[in-house]
Amino acid sequence: MDESTTTLSLAIGARVKQERQNRGWTLDQLAEAAGVSRRMIVNVEQGAANPSVGTLLRISDALGVGLPALVESPRPKPVRVVRSGEGATLWRSGQGGRGVLVAGTESPDVVELWDWTLGPGDSHGSEAHAAGTKELLQVHMGSLTVDVAGQAVTLEVGDSLTFPGDVAHSYANSGSEPARFSLAVFEPGVGSGHRQETGS
C-alpha cells in the first residue's frame, strides 16, 4: 500500500474500532453482524487490510453508520467541504483507474458522491447493495458500459443513467482512453439491518 492508502486504511480502522467499542461489541459480534470474517475485522481495525467497497459497506451498515462516516473525520459543522484531491480513494486498478468517495451524508438515509476513473480495459463489479438503493451517474470523459443485472448500456460523454443499486452491477471501459464519471448512490435505512446477504 502507498502512503495515502495506508493513512486511509489506518483512519478507517480507527473509526471501525471506535464505533464497535461505542456499541460494546466484540470483534466476533461485529463480524457476525457484518457477515465478514473475524480476521477481516481485525485486519481492518489494524489498518492492515485494503478491504473492498462491498466489505466496507457491510461493516458500515452493521455499525449503523454510512460509508462516508468511516472514511472521514467527524465534523461538528453542518457544512463540510472536501477540497480537490482530499477524497477517500477506495478503489484503484493497475490501469490507472480509481474510485474516490468525495462526499457523503450521515445515516440513516445515506447519499454518497463518487468520482470514478476507469483506465482502458478497466472494469469494476459491485455486488447488490441494500434493498432500495438507487444509483445515478453521468459520464464526463470517454465511453462507459454499465451492466445492471445482465442489461448492458453503453454511455458516451454527457450521457447519464439511473438504475437500482440493489442488484449486481458493473462498470467497464472497453475504449482506448480513460473514462471518467460521477456517481451518486442513495442507500436508505443504513443500519436498520436490511442489507442483503452477499458473499465477499
Side-chain angles (χ1 to χ4, degrees):
M1 287 191 280
D2 62 27
E3 186 176 339
S4 65
T5 303
T6 300
T7 300
L8 178 60
S9 293
L10 290 170
I12 290 171
R15 189 64 192 269
V16 167
K17 185 174 184 177
Q18 174 191 3
E19 293 291 341
R20 176 179 63 79
Q21 290 175 339
N22 286 348
R23 286 157 184 75
W25 287 4
T26 65
L27 291 165
D28 290 326
Q29 287 172 312
L30 177 54
E32 182 178 340
V36 300
S37 70
R38 182 183 192 278
R39 170 55 40 207
M40 176 56 77
I41 299 295
V42 169
N43 287 342
V44 167
E45 286 192 1
Q46 292 176 348
N50 189 10
S52 70
V53 174
T55 297
L56 289 175
L57 282 168
R58 286 193 295 276
I59 292 170
S60 67
D61 191 43
L63 292 170
V65 298
L67 180 58
L70 292 185
V71 300
E72 66 181 28
S73 302
R75 295 183 182 124
K77 298 178 183 175
V79 175
R80 290 182 273 182
V81 176
V82 177
R83 299 287 180 201
S84 178
E86 293 180 354
T89 302
L90 298 178
W91 178 83
R92 291 181 193 270
S93 77
Q95 289 77 27
R98 63 190 191 130
V100 182
L101 180 61
V102 295
T105 62
E106 297 176 6
S107 61
D109 294 327
V110 174
V111 179
E112 301 166 0
L113 180 60
W114 293 78
D115 180 6
W116 279 90
T117 302
L118 296 181
D122 261 345
S123 65
H124 180 268
S126 181
E127 59 194 37
H129 303 307
T133 298
K134 304 286 185 214
E135 299 197 19
L136 302 91
L137 66 80
Q138 184 179 35
V139 178
H140 302 295
M141 181 172 70
S143 176
L144 180 72
T145 299
V146 182
D147 186 304
V148 180
Q151 180 183 353
V153 178
T154 300
L155 305 170
E156 303 294 335
V157 173
D159 292 344
S160 59
L161 179 68
T162 302
F163 61 95
D166 54 6
V167 296
H169 51 282
S170 64
Y171 318 100
N173 175 8
S174 57
S176 58
E177 300 295 324
R180 185 171 181 196
F181 61 100
S182 294
L183 174 70
V185 180
F186 169 68
E187 191 172 14
V190 169
S192 63
H194 68 289
R195 182 169 303 286
Q196 296 177 1
E197 288 298 317
T198 55
S200 50

